[in-house]
Amino acid sequence: MSDQSIAVVRAGPAERDAVASLFDRYRVFYEQSSDIAAAQAFIGARLRAGDSTIFLARRGDGGDGLGFVQLYPSFSSVSMRKIWILNDLYVAPEARRHGVGRLLMDRARDFARETGALRLELTTARTNAAAQALYRECGYVEDEVFLRFSLTVD
């Protein structure tokens, strides 16, 4: 599989099932139970509401989904500009090491530029060395100024 045989498209309602199938596998990777119906509902809701932007990588012939990236909008109050949270990136195991992740990351970067965003931000598991290597290759740097905190509320 060469990168010439891979198309990256902005997902719409017609791509819901292809994205949801990959999204379900992504969740399983993060040790969640498989639930394709819930994945279809979640992705369908995101696409209908337009509250995230999803790019889908698939074979150039319109074939199977190979991977996806999902971006959520946010804002920087200090700079008064949009930022994009790269929340989800997944490449199917059989498509890894063929440039799919890089194509998705490049499309996310281009989209951020097209929308006038200040930056893209992401987090990943400390143990996900493969993803960290890709992010560094794409020019991402670890934040040395700010600590990230979270609060689970349920």
Side-chain angles (χ1 to χ4, degrees), residues 1-9 57-64 66:
M1 174 185 340
S2 69
D3 63 354
Q4 289 83 14
S5 66
I6 302 167
V8 176
V9 299
R58 62 176 4 148
R59 297 185 196 292
D61 60 7
D64 297 336
L66 303 171

Side-chain angles (χ1 to χ4, degrees), residues 103-148:
L103 287 171
L104 289 164
M105 294 296 291
D106 288 351
R107 186 62 188 101
R109 180 205 58 224
D110 293 347
F111 178 74
R113 285 180 178 153
E114 291 163 11
T115 58
L118 175 65
R119 67 179 173 264
L120 280 162
E121 295 183 354
L122 63 83
T123 59
T124 191
R126 293 185 189 275
T127 58
N128 195 343
Q132 292 172 36
L134 173 62
Y135 302 148
R136 287 184 181 100
E137 287 173 17
C138 291
Y140 285 73
V141 294
E142 290 181 58
D143 192 318
E144 296 181 6
V145 177
F146 294 100
L147 293 174
R148 181 178 177 268

Side-chain angles (χ1 to χ4, degrees), residues 74-96:
S74 187
F75 295 89
S76 166
S77 297
V78 173
S79 67
M80 298 183 294
R81 289 184 57 196
K82 179 178 276 193
I83 61 174
W84 287 99
I85 308 300
L86 194 158
N87 204 71
D88 310 307
L89 172 69
Y90 179 78
V91 175
E94 62 275 14
R96 293 178 186 160

